[in-house]
Amino acid sequence: MKDWKPICWIIGIPALIVLLMIGIVIYEPVQNGISRGEASRAAVLALVSKEECESFLEDKVSHFQAGETGEWYVKYMDYLYENGYLSEDRTPATAESAEGYITYGEVEALAGQISGSLRNRARATVNNREDAIPKDEWWLFYDSMLNAVDGEDQVKDEKITIYQAGTGDEEGMDWTVYTSAGALDCEGLTLKRYEDRESRALYRGNCLIAFEEPESDEVVYENVWITEGDDGDCLVYVGGITKTMETGFDEEEKQELYNNIVDLYLRDGRVRRAVVKKERLTGRVLAVDGDSIEIEGYGELPLSPTFQVFKTYGTFERKQPKDILVGYDNQEFVVSEGQVCAALIVRTFDADTIRVLLMDTGFRSLFHPSVTLVSRGDMTLTWADGGTETVKAGEEFTISAEESRLNGGRLIVEPADGEEISVETIERSQGTPSYEGRLEISAEQDGLALVNELYLEDYLKRVVPSEMPASYEKEALKAQAVCARTYAYRQIQANGYSQYGAHVDDSTTYQVYNNISTNSRTDAAVDETYGQILTYDGNPIEAFYFSTSCGATADGSIWGGDPDAVPYLKSKMLGSNPNGYDLQNNVDFYNFIRDRSYEAYDSDYAMFRWQTTTTSEILSQKVTGIGTVENITVKSRGAGGVVRELEITGSEGVKTLNSQSQVRSILGSTELTIRRKDGTTMTGQETLPSAFIAIEKDGDSFRIYGGGYGHGAGMSQNGAQGMAKDGETYETILKFFYDGTELTKVERTE
């Protein structure tokens, strides 16, 4: 008789496996769905930024129970509930619901709230409405959703590399993933398994939305900096982090890598090959924009798509292209295959020179249709292609935006024997201005950009008389010189016009430069404070200044920021306060601003007190959407009494102004006549002199009582003059207006 047991085993086991597989297919729930929390996050970020979502929910009560409101998905689902994209009837506001899979029916409801055509893309049917939508179908739908709602392409669709991923529970790695696109918030996404992988990603701002399954385990770390670590490992600076990596190279090979820009080729997370980039250029930077850099002697060079900036002296840091200082040669540039791969900031800058973008007549535009130059000495012209030309003394040279030789880069104009260059096509208060140093001309989209490069101290000699009358007391002029130098020092570092090769322009946007001729008194103020700047905790301060106070200054919150970020900008009373005025109280401020006998350091100046009258008709020209203006109410005041919040009530609505600049702009008008303390008047002012104001309603008119001229933060220039008249030194003046600061001498290399 045959033994059937082996045969049964042979036949039965495969049959059992088949039955199990059928059971899994029939009864096992879909495993490739997407959680409601993750889908909600993606949907919200298609509509608004994370910051806009959080701002919208600030005064809303969460739909979740108190114990669940700290979960990452709550804000996104709350946003959808509040705006009708999710319904609690279908989708309960619970952790279990958020962690479960979103269904075809829920996606259909979400789509229907956006548009009817999008609803059809949800692919919901009578039979699948309660089924989980597979992940790949969700992302197909999401692409359609982006086409419908993201007209400005706020959501980026790019390939990125993940260098290091947090899982939300590691110290210092709270839902953060470091990538080739920067550090991204990855709430709810577990990405650890994708480290050292590249794939398609969706992200908005600094929020990662999705990262596809990578197709390959190979990736290239481009343009990374490598130094020596412990125990034979290498420290790799990539994506804003430092990774310790075992390369597998011998000691000699590692020494070739250290302190260089390198491309690392990885497979399965391990380094397989390294390419060192050793070619370096040095030279003064003339301009930096988004995709190129102009270096003196080399012209304009393209930047690698993975261009990096590192500070290599002192504490090693990753920097940004904006940190590359135009006009300086404290950087080295790593070049490979005709592209600049990295900039290495190898030493500190000495703030020796400054580059000023010269505006046209009237400071209306940064650009000029043509430029005409003349000098009492010869001028040497150097074109970007290396060609040179000499313009003889007294001869005019004119160039237009159509000049073909500018196509290759900027023209550099240098005078002989230290002579100045006059720009005949510009008019200033002094007449036709002339400039020390050299001029550079480049063709930009809107015309010619004209840049003046000169020594910082020479620049200050043309700023101080343009910002403060040369007749003022010497100590006031010296205080102004230190403020101007400190301000310029910070602006050089800020690199505000790097795309044009400049640090500042010559208007009130920065500091007025060369509007008034130099003067021996202001020259002496600059010379006698040579190299001195104001610092707080060793760093240059924001040395803001303005014309005249109302008897008090504002603090560092004047522009809506955190006053603790600028602790040296404190509110100061420029006179005694015998009446005990609380300037943040409306009644006290009203009495204070109408007190014409109040004595302060700058109370002798005409703009210390002023008043004007506006009308409902004038206001309605600027305040639209609320009907006829009926009332104006100061809702809150900041330090020193400056208006922080102003409410304008109209026949059809209310408008709230939340900054001193808004208040000055909306309430100001060229139709107003402003009567100053000394009885004189002025007209044609588009904005109010200051936001240190009190308002009285009189029928359809509003009488505005004001004081001071300017934003009100930092040093009152006329207050400094008053203190100097009282015998105070510039050191005392500066310490009064900038609390806790120190005078520091900037060391310069010779």
Side-chain angles (χ1 to χ4, degrees), residues 16 19 30 114 121 336 340 359 400 411 558 572 578 631 671 680 695 702 714 727:
L16 181 61
L19 288 171
V30 176
I114 297 172
R121 301 297 182 94
S336 177
V340 181
M359 298 184 72
S400 70
L411 166 66
I558 185 73
K572 300 280 186 176
N631 200 17
E671 297 181 50
T680 61
I695 303 169
F702 300 90

Side-chain angles (χ1 to χ4, degrees), residues 35 46 83 85 111 132 156 187 198 236 246 266 297 336 372 419 465 488 491 531 573 609 632 685 696 703 732:
S35 75
N83 289 282
Y85 296 106
K156 304 301 180 187
E187 288 177 311
E198 179 189 65
V236 179
E246 167 55 53
L266 284 72
S336 177
T372 298
E419 292 288 348
Q491 295 308 316
M573 293 292 291
R609 289 287 180 270
I632 306 174
Q685 303 292 304
E696 277 183 352
R703 189 171 293 108
T732 301

